[in-house]
Amino acid sequence: MALRGMAGFVGGIGGIGAVRSKATICSADGISFHNIGLGSVSLSWTASGSHAYRVVYKSDSNPASFRTVTRSSVILKGLSPGSSYDMSISELDSKKVLSRASFTTMSAEAPESAGAESDKEAEDLPLTELSRLEIRAGTVVECKKHPEADTLYVETIDVGEPEPRTIVSGLVKFMSEEELTGRKVVVLCNLKPRAMRGITSHGMLLCASNDDHSEVDPLSPPEECGNGELITFDGHKSAPIDPGNRATKAFDRVADDLSTNEDGIAQYQDIAFKTVFGPCYSPRKLVGGVS
């Protein structure tokens, strides 16, 4: 089980009766925008040779998100309609910034209709304890035994940031280093960093377990998810806070309501851990708590 703290063509699809305002590209350096919609953008860039790339994008009202790709194109989904974004593209290995751009997604305004009502409801989503958690998709780059603790692994995990995170997890009894290495995982990123037998852990792998905790399975996002994609929950505003005691307290308050259902889908109460490609899940379809 993971241990706490160780852890241009412009288009789009609008609602019925929606009036779309024009999307804009404020600036673009070496980036070609193929489609800017209500909540997505398709783009490509000039590349020489074979590289992996990190795409970072952020708006004033949304925390930074990251995608890691192995080709010189990407589709960014889950964007906020009518929002301005700044983005950059860099080579993953050299960290050399190749391009920067700014763009604004299309906005949809529906005249006094159910559509307008829905938009307002989205804006008025409640800020809850769940809202404060920063849960992201990632990939285990390296896994090795803790030099001072036989039951702990020290994992290096790419969650789309400039440098991978070190996370310590109590998974030795449940899976091998080879099984963890290269695995796509779900990471709680904003717990307060905690020293575990001399190694500081910057987050926690979220795992499903059966009732007696004899089986433990790290959650996985859909395979198509890029490292760094923010996990969201329907009906809850997404507003992650900085790592620290307040984030840890928020997790404590929701932890008892995190679980997997009979299909292995991870959920808060009955609300799925959501990505643009589908829900997060237990690959072994364990039914029980998530921690």
Side-chain angles (χ1 to χ4, degrees):
M1 181 184 303
L3 299 184
R4 171 83 52 80
M6 297 187 309
F9 170 75
V10 176
I13 301 176
I16 295 175
V19 178
R20 301 175 193 170
S21 65
K22 186 178 179 181
T24 60
I25 302 171
C26 301
S27 65
D29 177 15
I31 300 176
S32 298
F33 288 85
H34 306 295
N35 181 48
I36 303 179
L38 293 173
S40 66
V41 58
S42 172
L43 56 100
S44 61
W45 55 92
T46 304
S48 59
S50 177
H51 295 282
Y53 303 93
R54 174 165 286 124
V55 181
V56 182
Y57 51 103
K58 181 182 185 302
S59 73
D60 289 341
S61 58
N62 293 278
S65 292
F66 313 85
R67 288 289 305 274
T68 301
V69 295
T70 55
R71 58 187 182 277
S72 57
S73 63
V74 70
I75 299 174
L76 304 178
K77 298 183 179 182
L79 307 179
S80 298
S83 295
S84 297
Y85 284 83
D86 294 320
M87 64 172 296
S88 65
I89 299 168
S90 59
E91 291 180 355
L92 189 62
D93 49 1
S94 68
K95 300 181 177 60
K96 176 185 176 183
V97 176
L98 301 178
S99 304
R100 299 181 187 276
S102 300
F103 64 90
T104 301
T105 53
M106 296 180 69
S107 62
E109 298 174 359
E112 297 184 10
S113 66
E117 216 170 277
S118 297
D119 289 344
K120 186 175 188 307
E121 286 175 3
E123 292 175 5
D124 293 341
L125 286 175
L127 179 66
T128 65
E129 295 295 348
L130 195 62
S131 304
R132 296 182 168 94
L133 300 183
E134 182 182 0
I135 303 174
R136 295 190 182 273
T139 300
V140 179
V141 177
E142 183 182 28
C143 176
K144 58 186 178 182
K145 287 278 190 70
H146 194 300
E148 302 295 332
D150 292 339
T151 61
L152 303 180
Y153 282 135
V154 180
E155 300 124 5
T156 303
I157 302 179
D158 182 355
V159 289
E161 296 168 322
E163 298 292 338
R165 286 180 178 236
T166 296
I167 291 182
V168 181
S169 300
L171 292 170
V172 172
K173 291 196 311 182
F174 305 104
M175 57 198 320
S176 68
E177 296 170 47
E178 292 75 19
E179 288 175 306
L180 264 177
T181 302
R183 179 161 174 157
K184 294 191 76 71
V185 291
V186 176
V187 182
L188 178 54
C189 293
N190 60 343
L191 292 179
K192 182 179 180 180
R194 181 182 176 190
M196 304 299 298
R197 301 293 292 272
I199 296 179
T200 300
S201 183
H202 297 271
M204 179 172 70
L205 287 189
L206 291 177
C207 299
S209 61
N210 60 356
D211 287 341
D212 64 3
H213 300 286
S214 60
E215 296 181 79
V216 173
D217 190 27
L219 297 180
S220 290
E223 194 63 31
E224 301 88 343
C225 276
N227 294 332
E229 180 170 333
L230 187 66
I231 311 303
T232 60
F233 299 84
D234 286 344
H236 296 259
K237 184 175 292 186
S238 182
I241 60 177
D242 291 338
N245 289 328
R246 183 64 185 88
T248 300
K249 184 178 292 185
F251 179 73
D252 288 339
R253 290 174 175 172
V254 304
D256 287 345
D257 288 317
L258 303 178
S259 64
T260 49
N261 64 18
E262 62 275 7
D263 295 316
I265 302 301
Q267 55 188 13
Y268 168 72
Q269 297 176 350
D270 59 351
I271 303 168
F273 284 53
K274 182 181 176 183
T275 77
V276 295
F277 295 101
C280 300
Y281 61 96
S282 161
R284 293 167 56 192
K285 293 190 176 181
L286 290 187
V287 178
V290 168
S291 60

